[in-house]
Amino acid sequence: MIDERKILKKIIKYEYISFDIFDTLVKRLVGTYHEVWKLVQSEYNKNCSKKIYDFEEKRKNADAIAQEKYYEPTLDEIYSQLEYEENVRNDLKKIEEQIEIECSVFNHSFEKIIKNLYREKKKIIITTDMYLDRKVIEKILKKNNIS
């Protein structure tokens, strides 16, 4: 649990305050992104006749390859490293995006901090280095009433 008063005391003096979206303002209902990948495989296999296996490992490897090839790779760049047919990659990517949206919840530990900053008319900036595209991130923010 965070100490809201301690954080506010440190940041209130600034006109602009920046927060990372993921793992700060928004957190996942699952433990790690590896859990997301397990859910992707499960959801895909539930809805498709041709089953896939070891998706977690393949997704992890695709991420590692994309990290070497690209600076801050996007989800498209990561998925381009997966050795599946294009339609399968597209389906998997859509499932991952939907699961990320569904599993993301507002981190209420920051609620008082944000309210105090608004009351003090501070300018709040939210940033991320997340691989999800802008539309998916906007859906996550909207779902969690972050504007």
Side-chain angles (χ1 to χ4, degrees):
M1 197 62 162
I2 65 168
D3 185 341
E4 296 102 354
R5 287 176 285 163
K6 190 175 184 179
I7 292 172
L8 268 171
K9 186 177 177 182
K10 287 183 176 186
I11 65 175
I12 201 73
K13 60 187 170 189
Y14 299 103
E15 180 180 358
Y16 295 90
I17 295 93
S18 177
F19 293 100
D20 186 19
I21 297 170
F22 296 96
D23 298 325
T24 304
L25 297 180
V26 172
K27 58 185 179 180
R28 288 185 179 103
L29 291 173
V30 295
T32 67
Y33 51 87
H34 292 272
E35 296 298 318
V36 170
W37 300 342
K38 289 177 186 177
L39 291 170
V40 170
Q41 177 177 305
S42 175
E43 190 65 24
Y44 181 87
N45 286 342
K46 189 181 347 173
N47 295 310
C48 297
S49 58
K50 187 176 179 185
K51 306 301 181 208
I52 62 168
Y53 303 96
D54 302 320
F55 178 72
E56 180 184 357
E57 187 65 29
K58 291 175 181 176
R59 176 64 174 76
K60 183 174 114 180
N61 291 338
D63 188 66
I65 294 166
Q67 292 291 338
E68 289 181 17
K69 287 177 97 171
Y70 307 100
Y71 177 77
E72 299 292 340
T74 64
L75 193 59
D76 285 333
E77 291 166 337
I78 294 167
Y79 268 76
S80 72
Q81 307 308 309
L82 286 168
E83 294 181 3
Y84 294 113
E85 294 174 14
E86 184 177 0
N87 63 324
V88 173
R89 285 195 314 266
N90 290 337
D91 289 345
L92 289 165
K93 187 180 90 149
K94 286 177 190 171
I95 293 168
E96 182 169 341
E97 290 171 336
Q98 191 57 42
I99 289 172
E100 287 285 6
I101 293 166
E102 291 170 5
C103 288
S104 296
V105 295
F106 181 67
N107 183 354
H108 288 282
S109 298
F110 282 85
E111 192 166 10
K112 288 180 184 175
I113 294 169
I114 300 295
K115 285 181 180 179
N116 276 291
L117 293 172
Y118 272 118
R119 188 172 39 250
E120 294 293 323
K121 301 199 183 331
K122 301 296 179 177
K123 293 174 180 69
I124 300 171
I125 300 165
I126 55 176
T127 61
T128 187
D129 61 355
M130 179 61 132
Y131 48 77
L132 297 170
D133 72 28
R134 182 184 185 105
K135 288 181 182 181
V136 175
I137 291 170
E138 287 173 348
K139 287 178 183 179
I140 290 170
L141 294 173
K142 183 176 181 180
K143 173 189 175 235
N144 290 290
N145 297 315
I146 300 171
S147 59

